[in-house]
Amino acid sequence: MKRLTIILLAALALYGCGAGVKGTAVAGKQNYVIGFYNLENLFDTYHDEGKNDYQFLPDGQNQWTEAKYRKKLHNMAQVIEAMKQDNGVWHTVLGVSEIENRHVLEDLVSDPQIAPANYQIVHYDGPDNRGVDVALLYKPEQFRPLASESIRFTFDSPGIDFSAWTQEEKDNFRTRDVLMVRGMLGDEMFAFFVAHLPSRLGGKGADLRPRGAEIIYQRAVELEDEFPGIRIVVMGDMNDNPTDESMVKFMHGKETIAEVGEHDFFSPFLSMLKNGYSSLYYQGQSNIYDIILVNRQIAQAPDGGLKILQINNNGFYGRIFRKDFMTQQSGQYKGTPFRTFSNGAFVGGYSDHYPTYIVVTK
């Protein structure tokens, strides 16, 4: 029954994602592609002091050899290059998650498939127990960073009760930092937040993900107050759907542009989820955890300002990028993302997530 459920959901998602998304062709105008991609455990083959990377060593559980690492890099670059071929332009900004360190990103952007993009990197080492971080890749010809920060998770919430947590539990909790990069995209100021909120493994995170969203939202509002008119994009693997409390209540995500008020965010993947789209499958269910939201200044930009663009024939403002080579073609998980490991074995796939993106335009 579980296998049948997965196959039926995959077929629905294929039907939804396949309509009106081929040949986005955003080249030719002043368009900028902004996206997010969970790279699914992009580790190198060396131990980093203080990181729990032992399973990704040559003698570790995954027998993570140089050949497997190079295959993984090639696959990630192949997807990024395929998006460029579809769109006619490289991503201006690409947020990434599940990367071990700056070294793996330097290897990635040097891959011959995407080296012509000349991607630069913003990355901070974070405290996550698994040893994975988030980062931002950007084209310096289009985006010029002015400031960045790595925002630590805290339990000092004005709206969530963590009284059930002991102080020791709080002190020992480690998760990914949120990355914020502020800079100039053309002649307009943008801030990009990249997040990987706490996971659902073991049923955890019911309050942690709302708290992560609350942290992002509070900092975003501070930036809006400090820099009137700033454009803000929030992206990441939220481990929640756009319909969940973390995104609707704590990130103030709205389904339509008309609903977006001051300090609200337009959540384009919310309506896509309702229409059968998916970016990953978790416990046999179709989900969109790879979410991008934009603030009012992008959703309702005045004439002449950068605003979010409808990028497919179905009227949606977001895209989930999936191709046959990124998708499992047979077996129990047919129709789902073709991942690096399956049931503990290296299968040479890509990621357990599909990348997502939006386009902003004048």
Side-chain angles (χ1 to χ4, degrees), residues 127 149-163 165-167 169-178 197-198 207-219 222 250:
E149 58 188 87
S150 195
I151 305 170
R152 193 62 45 94
F153 184 97
T154 70
F155 289 90
D156 302 326
S157 171
I160 303 170
D161 181 10
F162 286 105
S163 59
W165 286 63
T166 68
Q167 190 59 49
E169 288 173 327
K170 293 177 182 179
D171 291 343
N172 291 332
F173 179 72
R174 299 287 186 271
T175 191
R176 282 75 60 174
D177 286 356
V178 174
L197 298 187
D207 293 325
L208 299 174
R209 289 184 296 278
R211 174 56 183 151
E214 186 179 58
I215 289 169
I216 297 168
Y217 181 76
Q218 289 175 327
R219 185 68 183 109
E222 290 174 357
F250 290 91

Side-chain angles (χ1 to χ4, degrees), residues 17-321:
C17 291
V21 296
K22 291 186 177 180
T24 305
V26 301
K29 292 180 64 177
Q30 193 170 355
N31 295 328
Y32 303 96
V33 182
I34 297 168
F36 173 78
Y37 195 13
N38 181 323
L39 301 182
E40 192 201 2
N41 293 320
L42 182 54
F43 282 78
D44 61 27
T45 61
Y46 306 97
H47 175 58
D48 282 10
E49 189 65 32
K51 291 203 172 186
N52 184 17
D53 58 1
Y54 297 103
Q55 63 180 325
F56 285 96
L57 298 175
D59 58 353
Q61 176 184 339
N62 293 327
Q63 299 179 346
W64 193 240
T65 62
E66 187 69 15
K68 290 177 181 177
Y69 172 57
R70 292 295 163 182
K71 171 66 173 172
K72 176 72 173 177
L73 289 170
H74 172 87
N75 286 358
M76 298 296 89
Q78 182 183 358
V79 173
I80 296 169
E81 199 272 339
M83 288 191 283
K84 187 263 184 183
Q85 291 299 322
D86 248 36
N87 293 325
V89 294
W90 296 103
H91 277 58
T92 295
V93 166
L94 179 64
V96 294
S97 69
E98 291 201 17
I99 55 100
E100 181 184 15
N101 50 37
R102 185 182 181 91
H103 169 245
V104 299
L105 293 174
E106 291 173 344
D107 283 347
L108 175 62
V109 301
S110 299
D111 185 284
Q113 297 172 99
I114 63 172
N118 188 35
Y119 281 123
Q120 304 300 299
I121 301 164
V122 182
H123 166 261
Y124 292 84
D125 284 314
D128 180 65
N129 282 328
R130 287 179 52 214
V132 293
D133 301 321
V134 299
L136 192 79
L137 308 181
Y138 68 93
K139 284 185 63 61
E141 301 87 355
Q142 296 176 329
F143 177 65
R144 178 168 59 90
L146 300 174
S148 64
E149 58 188 87
S150 195
I151 305 170
R152 193 62 45 94
F153 184 97
T154 70
F155 289 90
D156 302 326
S157 171
I160 303 170
D161 181 10
F162 286 105
S163 59
W165 286 63
T166 68
Q167 190 59 49
E168 182 180 8
E169 288 173 327
K170 293 177 182 179
D171 291 343
N172 291 332
F173 179 72
R174 299 287 186 271
T175 191
R176 282 75 60 174
D177 286 356
V178 174
L179 174 65
M180 190 286 292
V181 184
R182 179 176 60 83
M184 301 302 295
L185 183 57
D187 59 357
E188 298 182 16
M189 183 176 289
F190 271 70
F192 297 99
F193 288 82
V194 187
H196 186 183
L197 298 187
S199 76
R200 290 174 171 245
L201 288 176
K204 298 182 300 183
D207 293 325
L208 299 174
R209 289 184 296 278
R211 174 56 183 151
E214 186 179 58
I215 289 169
I216 297 168
Y217 181 76
Q218 289 175 327
R219 185 68 183 109
V221 171
E222 290 174 357
L223 288 170
E224 288 180 330
D225 291 341
E226 185 177 358
F227 303 100
I230 189 172
R231 273 72 169 156
I232 297 178
V233 179
V234 175
M235 66 179 82
D237 176 357
M238 305 304 186
N239 276 305
D240 265 344
N241 279 307
T243 50
D244 287 328
E245 182 183 49
S246 62
M247 296 294 104
V248 174
K249 177 180 178 180
F250 290 91
M251 267 307 307
H252 295 244
K254 306 299 182 182
E255 184 173 357
T256 68
I257 288 176
E259 294 176 89
V260 178
E262 186 179 12
H263 300 316
D264 286 335
F265 281 80
F266 172 46
S267 182
F269 292 92
L270 198 160
S271 59
M272 294 180 70
L273 178 72
K274 291 181 177 181
N275 280 272
Y277 287 72
S278 65
S279 67
L280 80 158
Y281 295 83
Y282 180 71
Q283 295 183 345
Q285 300 298 312
S286 173
N287 301 279
I288 301 178
Y289 290 173
D290 307 276
I291 299 171
I292 304 173
L293 309 97
V294 300
N295 71 342
R296 184 180 186 180
Q297 285 69 23
I298 299 175
Q300 302 175 3
D303 291 343
L306 285 169
K307 60 183 177 182
I308 193 167
L309 174 72
Q310 286 184 335
I311 57 173
N312 67 43
N313 296 334
N314 289 337
F316 295 116
Y317 289 83
R319 183 178 180 190
I320 299 167
F321 186 79

Side-chain angles (χ1 to χ4, degrees), residues 9-19 276 278 281 322 324 327 334-336 354:
L9 287 169
L12 174 63
L14 279 169
Y15 175 79
C17 291
S278 65
Y281 295 83
R322 56 182 299 157
D324 286 349
T327 302
K334 181 179 179 180
T336 66
Y354 293 120

